[in-house]
Amino acid sequence: MSDHFYFTPPRVLHVPLRPPRKATPGEGIYLQLWKEFAESRPKEWHAIFQTNGPVRQRAASVAASFMAYMGCGGGRDFTFKAEAAAAQESAFGSREAAFLATWAVFNRRQRGINRGLRSSEFMLASAYPVSSSTARSVDWDLVPNVSQEDNDILESMVCWWSSTHAGVIREIAEPMRKAEETKQFCRLFEREPQT
């Protein structure tokens, strides 16, 4: 049994660095399921992380930010591509390796794609770094410096995302996300205008 199960994990809050967006309900749904998992299984949560530093509040916030991101279009795109790579498991040696390889490609900086931002920079920004103006330019002051510790936590989450437990969370979350998006888009539940 892992050493992670013989001590009391640190007390942390499972809050992302930026709150989930209301217009993207999957972010809040994935985050809430993650919080329920992490709070009910703190030792198992702690065992996810492979890092040289202590698993502390920063790790909890980076992990929560990862989970919120998995509920948006970018996260779903990553998951789709990682699952496709995992179907070719013989090329990677394991499901986990397929997810890690996909993350390496998905998170790279590319000019002309996502305005040159890495996925990790989007998910760890405390404020959305792309302006809402028609130019949609990047406010580089809002782009975080992603540390090696942050990268360790993100890679640990990618490995966990390839696991059976993460698959169960996705099975629960996806119908909830689709239902909430349908509810938002139909506008059936908006208040009628006052006359």
Side-chain angles (χ1 to χ4, degrees):
M1 184 174 276
S2 171
D3 291 340
H4 291 282
F5 290 93
Y6 292 111
F7 76 102
T8 303
R11 289 182 179 254
V12 294
L13 300 174
H14 301 283
V15 294
L17 297 167
R18 180 179 66 242
R21 298 172 291 178
K22 289 186 188 326
T24 310
E27 291 180 358
I29 291 166
Y30 274 86
L31 177 61
Q32 185 56 43
L33 291 170
W34 170 252
K35 287 169 86 170
E36 289 178 35
F37 165 77
E39 289 171 358
S40 65
R41 297 171 168 260
K43 291 179 180 178
E44 191 172 329
W45 168 84
H46 190 273
I48 290 169
F49 306 109
Q50 301 294 316
T51 183
N52 290 332
V55 177
R56 54 196 174 96
Q57 183 57 54
R58 177 67 184 189
S61 292
V62 168
S65 297
F66 175 89
M67 287 303 293
Y69 185 81
M70 289 301 114
C72 77
R76 287 195 309 277
D77 186 38
F78 164 71
T79 302
F80 176 79
K81 289 175 178 167
E83 289 287 0
Q88 306 296 320
E89 192 173 301
S90 61
F92 295 98
S94 71
R95 180 175 172 78
E96 182 177 290
F99 272 65
L100 280 170
T102 304
W103 176 249
V105 171
F106 193 81
N107 191 45
R108 76 178 188 233
R109 187 179 310 285
Q110 293 179 313
R111 292 184 187 201
I113 297 178
N114 294 326
R115 292 168 183 75
L117 292 170
R118 294 179 182 273
S119 297
S120 57
E121 292 169 333
F122 269 117
M123 75 175 67
L124 300 184
S126 57
Y128 192 66
V130 178
S131 74
S132 58
S133 71
T134 54
R136 308 269 302 148
S137 60
V138 173
D139 182 345
W140 288 98
D141 290 334
L142 297 177
V143 177
N145 290 320
V146 179
S147 70
Q148 188 54 53
E149 178 185 0
D150 293 340
N151 283 323
D152 286 348
I153 300 306
L154 290 173
E155 285 182 359
S156 297
M157 289 300 294
V158 169
C159 291
W160 180 81
W161 199 238
S162 73
S163 74
T164 303
H165 285 147
V168 170
I169 286 179
R170 288 193 295 276
E171 285 180 26
I172 295 167
E174 278 306 298
M176 294 169 67
R177 179 190 63 78
K178 288 176 184 174
E180 189 58 35
E181 284 180 357
T182 300
K183 181 180 175 185
Q184 279 187 7
F185 295 136
C186 78
R187 299 181 177 205
L188 183 63
F189 302 98
E190 288 181 1
R191 291 197 179 275
E192 291 178 339
Q194 298 296 320
T195 57

